[in-house]
Amino acid sequence: MRAVIPRALSPRAPWTAELVDGGRRAATFALKDGSGATYRVRIERCVEGRLADSYPAGAHDIELAPEGPVPAEMILVATDALVEADPLCRRVVLALDPEDIAAHETAQRAGYRPGVEVDIREGTLSLLVYEPAWVTQTDMDLDRVPTD
């Protein structure tokens, strides 16, 4: 059974999220900050969307696609809410135009790291990745075999 997309997000205050359009594999949310500014973001399971064949995506990987320029705080708030909504999410991906330096800088300020460049039907994209701490934690004692 494939993972369904979160139908609700609970961003930290003062942010709010409202489902604008949603289905089983994708949804669009309106995120509002405390000042009333509204940003729209589309989320989609990577294995079922445009990135399906571009990298070895996990069943719970989510593409976060903001509509237009957004502040780093919005990306961070949306990412945190996605990871909270799906505790099995190992990777949130931003697929950006490789030439859009401002978007890359914004994503990196939000905690994303550069991943790979991929080619899809529409062109080349740079994938920037956010992985929760439980994914990136490593035991540096490489001489010990884990027992649990």
Side-chain angles (χ1 to χ4, degrees):
M1 180 176 181
R2 292 198 179 214
V4 294
I5 202 75
R7 308 274 305 155
L9 296 179
S10 299
R12 68 175 183 259
W15 290 81
T16 61
E18 178 184 339
L19 181 66
V20 175
D21 181 35
R24 187 184 154 291
R25 56 173 238 166
T28 301
F29 288 89
L31 277 82
K32 295 180 183 178
D33 67 11
S35 72
T38 302
Y39 307 96
R40 288 173 57 107
V41 63
R42 179 176 162 77
I43 60 173
E44 184 171 32
R45 291 286 176 200
C46 294
V47 295
E48 296 181 354
R50 66 185 181 151
L51 301 178
D53 297 323
S54 65
Y55 79 98
H60 288 267
D61 290 6
I62 297 175
E63 179 184 2
L64 176 67
E67 294 181 4
V70 297
E73 183 181 9
M74 194 283 316
I75 294 172
L76 179 60
V77 165
T79 301
D80 288 346
L82 281 170
V83 171
E84 182 180 320
D86 182 0
L88 297 177
C89 179
R90 296 180 58 85
R91 192 175 296 115
V92 182
V93 177
L94 285 169
L96 304 176
D97 177 340
E99 305 298 319
D100 191 345
I101 303 304
H104 283 250
E105 290 172 349
T106 298
Q108 289 179 43
R109 280 194 307 278
Y112 282 72
R113 63 176 174 74
V116 297
E117 283 196 2
V118 298
D119 291 321
I120 62 171
R121 184 172 304 185
E122 294 83 10
T124 300
L125 296 170
S126 290
L127 302 186
L128 282 82
V129 180
Y130 172 87
E131 294 169 313
W134 67 268
V135 174
T136 59
Q137 290 174 343
T138 55
D139 183 351
M140 295 313 293
D141 186 359
L142 300 178
D143 294 325
R144 183 182 58 81
V145 176
T147 58
D148 50 324

